[in-house]
């Protein structure tokens, strides 16, 4: 599986511990991944490249069976779930882009006094670090 997907063995083991993929054990205790796991690993890799948390991937895969080959309908359900997550992320990124474009164009160079993004330093009361970027 590692050679075929380019994903490190340790990552495959981690994905398995999270319940994102599954394997069977041989008599010699080696992992064997069913062919249908290739799609799951490929989608996990895409999500990772896009910065999508594995929790969101797990949510999208919730109804996709691990122990048998998923049907077209199983993948369609996962796709609809995934689409909702991506829509939310896209809206958040577009909002952030609008705010940052306005802020950069403002020229005030002050995140403490910025009347657009942080009026009266309201965010300073909530602690240190990034406050406007959802995690």
């Amino acid at each position: 599986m590692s050679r075929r997907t380019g994903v490190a063995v340790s990552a495959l083991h981690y994905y398995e511990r999270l319940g994102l993929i599954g394997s069977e054990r041989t008599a010699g205790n080696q992992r064997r991944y069913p062919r249908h796991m290739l799609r799951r690993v490929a989608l996990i890799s895409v999500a990772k490249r896009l910065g999508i948390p594995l929790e969101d991937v797990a949510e999208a895969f919730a109804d996709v069976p691990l122990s048998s080959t998923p049907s077209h309908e199983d993948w369609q359900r996962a796709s609809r779930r995934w689409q909702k997550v991506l829509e939310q992320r896209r809206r958040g990124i577009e909002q952030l882009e609008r705010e940052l474009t306005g802020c950069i164009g403002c020229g005030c160079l002050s995140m403490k006094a910025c009347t657009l993004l942080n009026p009266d330093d309201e965010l300073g009361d909530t602690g240190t670090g990034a406050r406007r970027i959802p995690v």
Side-chain angles (χ1 to χ4, degrees):
M1 178 67 79
S2 179
R3 267 190 313 250
R4 183 93 185 262
T5 62
V7 174
V9 172
S10 58
L12 293 173
H13 294 179
Y14 180 64
Y15 298 157
E16 192 169 355
R17 281 194 305 275
L18 294 178
L20 296 173
I21 63 173
S23 68
E24 299 166 358
R25 297 291 187 137
T26 66
N29 205 29
Q30 293 178 329
R31 286 178 170 89
R32 294 290 182 250
Y33 295 94
R35 184 175 178 82
H36 66 269
M37 288 299 146
L38 286 169
R39 176 178 279 185
R40 292 177 80 102
V41 173
L43 291 171
I44 293 166
S45 296
V46 168
K48 184 178 170 191
R49 251 192 341 263
L50 295 174
I52 297 172
L54 292 177
E55 291 173 357
D56 291 351
V57 175
E59 194 175 305
F61 285 0
D63 293 333
V64 180
L66 272 175
S67 58
S68 62
T69 302
S71 67
H72 178 72
E73 292 77 24
D74 292 328
W75 284 119
Q76 288 298 310
R77 270 194 315 278
S79 176
R80 285 190 294 274
R81 271 198 189 144
W82 194 288
Q83 187 173 10
K84 288 178 185 177
V85 169
L86 293 177
E87 282 288 323
Q88 290 170 343
R89 289 179 67 86
R90 191 185 89 248
R91 282 192 301 273
I93 289 169
E94 288 172 350
Q95 178 66 31
L96 182 60
E97 180 182 26
R98 283 190 298 276
E99 291 174 354
L100 287 177
T101 300
C103 185
I104 291 167
C106 166
C108 75
L109 303 177
S110 172
M111 288 303 288
K112 287 191 175 191
C114 182
T115 58
L116 176 65
L117 293 180
N118 192 14
D120 301 319
D121 193 25
E122 293 170 0
L123 298 175
D125 295 336
T126 61
T128 61
R131 294 284 174 239
R132 300 208 39 94
I133 301 172
V135 178

